[in-house]
Each structure stands twice: as C-alpha cells, then as structure tokens.
Amino acid sequence: MCLIAFALDAHPRHALVLAANRDEGFARPAAPLAAWDDVPGVVAGRDLAAGGTWLGVRDDGRWAALTNVRDPRHPRPATRSRGHLVTDFLRADDSPQGFAEAVYASREQYDGFNLVVGQGATARVVSTHADRIWRLEQGVYGLSNDILDTPWPKVSRARSGLRKAIQSDPVRFDDLFALLDDRDVAPDERLPDTGVGIELERVLSPVRIVTEGYGTRVSTALAINQSGLIRVAERTWNPDGTAGAMVEAELSPPATRA
C-alpha cells in the first residue's frame, strides 16, 4: 500500500472515511478483499508471498493500513514482513496506543514502513523514520512513502480529494474511487528526491500508478459509521491499467448481529 488518505471524525455520519491505493509488482501473488476464515470478523486482502496484508478491518471497528518508506539510500535489514503488522493488529485486542508502543519498540526488525492502526476514530501512526508515535486528532491525513502528511503532490491531491468527498452526506464511494484514479503526473519542481532518479520520480508521482510490471494493484474505500456499521470496497487494477473486479462487503458490530 503506497497511498492512504483518511478522515477521522470529520463527518457527522462517519467515524472513519479512508481511501487507499496499494502499489506493488504485478508478479507478486495476492488474494482480493474477502472475509478471513482464520481470523473471525476480519475482511482484508492478503499477500500470498509473505502471508500478511496491506489494509484490513474487523467487524468491531478495528482497522489498520500500511505503506512502505522508500529510501534506497539507506536500506534496512528486515527479519519480518511488514504486512504482518497489519495482521497482528487485526488479531489482537490491545488498544491502538498499546499496539503502537509495541511496534515502535520493535520497529528495527522491519524494512521501512508507516503503520496506521485504529479503532473507529481513534488512530495512531508509527514509522521507522520518525522517533515518535502520532496520536491523531479529528482531521484529514495522508500517508505515502514518507512520514505522515509529507506534502508530496500525490498526498496533497489525495487529501484534497478526500476533503471534498466528505462534504457529501452520506459519503459516496464513487467519489473515493474517483480520487484514487487520479493519474496526473506532478511537475518536476514539485517531485520529491527519494534517490530513484527524476524519471522514476515522475512515474511514481500520480495517485494511481500505471507502468509496465508495477503499479497500483488495488484501490480501497472504507467507511465506519458512528453507529459502528462498516462498509468496505476494493477495485482491482489489471497490469495494463484497466479496471478489474470490484468486491464489496458490509460488517455489523458483533453486539448488533441478529
């Protein structure tokens, strides 16, 4: 997952509204959004290479998402897949703060990452590239391949698009998928320098990346109502950049199930 825009308690109906793109090589095997048989109440995609995931939600309003931190000039030796951080949180029952503290203490075991973990509108962010844990207040946030709210063009565009989307009541998933389908290339003077060269920086600058062998694999929209009802949808993108399948799910809080 390489771009996440999310709004906490910024809409009268929703505790959380999230829009995210996962960028990855198309050769890496993955399963689409689905209910997990081995973790009751969880709906998520799954990385079939390492077994973790990039984004998921549980029926009690617990959610998590991950991006990598792109810094080829400072490689980090990894002993564990970053995707297991999301899976571990969805399996656990400790608070977002408690889980974030545990991850912060062990973050040197992983390649560079940003992890956001939440329960409804309560969220924390941990990064391998920051000596702090973010305790997030009400607002609209963005994460890509640098620390929280770094003003890369794609992050700024996604946050701006999300601010517009949450002006609707209810929030329309079509609006969230539209902002995730933005393929505009940023001007050179606004591109970051992450050590991959200007040509590749251009390729990676859109909200949705389309390039040979690598790009946006899935787009995900997630909304958690103030009542606890959850709606999540995932659109798959084909290697040629065309739209693939759409999967949708709705989850009710455990206590309200018939």
Side-chain angles (χ1 to χ4, degrees):
M1 182 74 65
C2 287
L3 179 64
I4 310 165
F6 57 103
L8 300 175
D9 210 16
H11 186 280
R13 190 185 298 265
H14 301 293
L16 170 72
V17 179
L18 180 149
N21 278 342
R22 182 199 182 211
D23 305 330
E24 181 58 85
F26 281 92
R28 190 178 181 97
L33 182 82
W36 284 15
D37 293 337
D38 55 331
V39 191
V42 166
V43 172
R46 185 165 251 167
D47 173 27
L48 298 179
T53 188
W54 52 93
L55 184 153
V57 63
R58 202 167 74 184
D59 58 5
D60 61 354
R62 197 171 179 87
W63 59 277
L66 180 83
T67 72
N68 68 320
V69 175
R70 190 170 72 240
D71 192 357
R73 293 166 295 196
H74 299 93
R76 300 166 60 89
T79 60
R80 195 162 184 260
S81 170
R82 293 166 289 198
H84 287 289
L85 292 168
V86 175
T87 304
D88 289 349
F89 182 72
L90 296 175
R91 292 177 183 273
D93 291 311
D94 47 345
S95 69
Q97 177 67 26
F99 189 87
E101 289 174 355
V103 171
Y104 182 82
S106 63
R107 66 194 188 283
E108 295 301 324
Q109 298 178 19
Y110 302 89
D111 279 337
F113 69 84
N114 296 309
L115 174 71
V116 53
V117 293
Q119 181 86 40
T122 299
R124 302 289 186 266
V125 173
V126 184
S127 175
T128 51
H129 284 54
D131 293 325
R132 59 172 294 190
I133 296 171
W134 282 268
R135 301 168 59 96
L136 302 186
E137 307 292 336
Q138 178 187 44
V140 178
Y141 301 91
L143 271 172
S144 185
N145 306 112
D146 205 334
I147 61 174
L148 183 71
D149 290 342
T150 297
W152 287 3
K154 67 194 304 179
V155 176
S156 299
R157 292 177 70 87
R159 291 179 71 192
S160 177
L162 184 55
R163 288 190 185 99
K164 293 178 182 177
I166 62 175
Q167 292 175 11
S168 298
D169 189 13
V171 172
R172 296 186 293 264
F173 272 23
D174 284 350
D175 293 338
L176 300 182
F177 282 116
L179 76 87
L180 292 170
D181 194 18
D182 182 351
R183 293 181 57 187
D184 285 353
V185 177
D188 285 359
E189 63 270 18
R190 293 200 60 209
L191 293 174
D193 178 9
T194 64
V196 298
I198 188 67
E199 292 186 5
L200 188 52
E201 296 288 8
R202 291 190 195 109
V203 169
L204 299 175
S205 70
V207 171
R208 181 165 80 91
I209 298 169
V210 179
T211 188
E212 185 175 355
Y214 176 90
T216 300
R217 294 274 303 266
V218 295
S219 297
T220 305
L222 170 64
I224 301 179
N225 283 3
Q226 299 290 359
S227 64
L229 296 175
I230 299 167
R231 183 184 174 203
V232 59
E234 177 190 271
R235 171 174 287 152
T236 300
W237 297 101
N238 298 317
D240 64 358
T242 59
M246 175 80 80
V247 179
E248 299 185 51
E250 293 188 358
L251 297 83
S252 299
T256 66
R257 292 193 192 116

